[in-house]
Amino acid sequence: MSATPDGPTGAGHGAAAGWSAADVEPVVCCLCGEPGAPLYEQAPFAVVRCPRCALVFVSPRLTAEALQRLYDEPAYFDDTVYGTSRWSPAMLLQRTWTAGRLALLAAQVPPPARLLEIGSGYGHFLAAARDAGYQARGIELSRTGVAHARDRLGLDVFAGQLADDPNPEPADVVCFWDTLEHVPDPLAFLTQVRQRMSGPDALAALSVPSFASLPARALRSRWWTLKPEQHIWHFTPDTLRVLAARAGLVITRVVTSPVAPGNAGRLDSLVALARPLPDDPAPGGEAR
Ligand SMILES: [Zn+2]
């Protein structure tokens, strides 16, 4: 469930073809429990906005079973940068993001810290993190991605959900690139991320499509990154901050520039860094 390239080369409009009403279910805002108000109809899906907190999400959306079928498809990765040649423009961009993101992380939590990547895909970022000196470990839902990361790159990757990780050791850096928009419950997910962070100096790092970006605002229902099967939550810097706070995290940096190396060429995405909020009331927390 890792990085799908957020660009016009992706699944595109009309990707809803092939799903029926039996594959979808309505959901409510993960923060407020409210049903959303319609923004765009993309039958059998709809993009909606919470009337209370303004979080944007897909409802109806694919059921958990239908979603797992999607991620189990070997073809899920076929239209992504991973299927293309090493020197393609997309792969060069991928390497630029990797280097830029590693530089962002290393400036705050340098190697040999423990780095956990959730949604590690084929393992390209994880391998680069390991080669930079991090103690790198991954979690990935796609069996195709896990097999590649383990067998070709020799990486330590758990195949499954974060909550089912049999080896839930703390990590000094927890990163999840282009993943939060895919998870069934982002509040539960970020809360689990917070629990995995090793202490007050640990760092979380993520990227997501930005619903506040110019392409999202200008293209509306034709925005190429809507992809309502896969992108079931949409964030702005503001809604991301609210969500993070509810999970015990404070966003310390947001990168939206498409010329920043960690976000290179991405007109409609953001990269964010977060720290644990102090005085976390969670039992067993490391609050001082
Ligand atoms: Zn809400």
Side-chain angles (χ1 to χ4, degrees):
M1 67 188 257
S2 169
T4 54
D6 291 317
T9 53
H13 320 300
W19 300 106
S20 75
D23 297 313
V24 301
E25 62 186 4
V27 296
V28 294
C29 175
C30 67
L31 287 174
C32 312
E34 297 268 344
L39 287 180
Y40 315 132
E41 291 289 337
Q42 296 192 319
F45 310 108
V47 178
V48 301
R49 178 184 273 137
C50 175
R52 193 176 296 181
C53 75
L55 187 57
V56 173
F57 55 103
V58 174
S59 176
R61 72 181 189 195
L62 288 182
T63 62
E65 295 76 23
L67 207 54
Q68 184 62 50
R69 266 186 276 139
L70 180 70
Y71 293 132
D72 280 344
E73 286 262 347
Y76 179 68
F77 283 109
D78 281 0
D79 67 348
T80 76
V81 292
Y82 304 119
T84 58
S85 102
R86 179 172 171 76
W87 298 105
S88 70
M91 206 63 204
L92 289 171
L93 260 184
Q94 181 75 28
R95 291 215 298 276
T96 304
W97 299 334
T98 295
R101 291 168 186 182
L102 278 173
L104 274 176
L105 302 183
Q108 302 212 11
V109 182
R114 294 161 294 182
L115 180 148
L116 176 68
E117 185 185 9
I118 306 161
S120 50
Y122 273 19
H124 293 265
F125 178 84
L126 201 59
R130 174 191 61 191
D131 296 347
Y134 285 104
Q135 304 168 54
R137 185 158 179 275
I139 296 180
E140 169 59 43
L141 268 184
S142 156
R143 287 169 249 248
T144 313
V146 170
H148 186 276
R150 282 181 185 162
D151 302 341
R152 303 264 195 97
L153 302 175
L155 290 162
D156 178 8
V157 178
F158 167 63
Q161 300 272 7
L162 174 61
D164 300 327
D165 186 356
N167 190 16
E169 291 173 355
D172 308 307
V173 179
V174 181
C175 50
F176 36 106
W177 312 118
D178 298 328
T179 293
L180 194 62
E181 69 273 24
H182 296 260
V183 304
D185 183 338
L187 178 59
F189 179 88
L190 284 186
T191 302
Q192 290 163 18
V193 165
R194 172 67 183 80
Q195 288 164 354
R196 289 295 290 269
M197 294 169 78
S198 59
D201 296 327
L203 182 70
L206 67 121
S207 61
V208 284
S210 174
F211 205 75
S213 66
L214 186 59
R217 286 182 288 130
L219 296 171
R220 301 176 58 84
S221 66
R222 301 191 62 79
W223 182 33
W224 59 76
T225 304
L226 272 184
K227 299 183 185 175
E229 307 99 314
Q230 309 160 30
H231 293 172
I232 54 181
W233 302 91
H234 284 287
F235 306 97
T236 65
D238 287 344
T239 58
L240 186 62
R241 281 178 211 284
V242 171
L243 173 68
R246 281 279 296 275
L249 296 164
V250 58
I251 304 283
T252 55
R253 183 155 178 202
V254 174
V255 177
T256 57
S257 168
V259 297
N263 199 41
R266 301 196 354 146
L267 300 173
D268 61 353
S269 292
L270 65 84
V271 171
L273 302 181
R275 297 280 189 174
L277 277 167
D279 304 315
D280 174 50
E286 55 287 306
R288 288 168 288 195

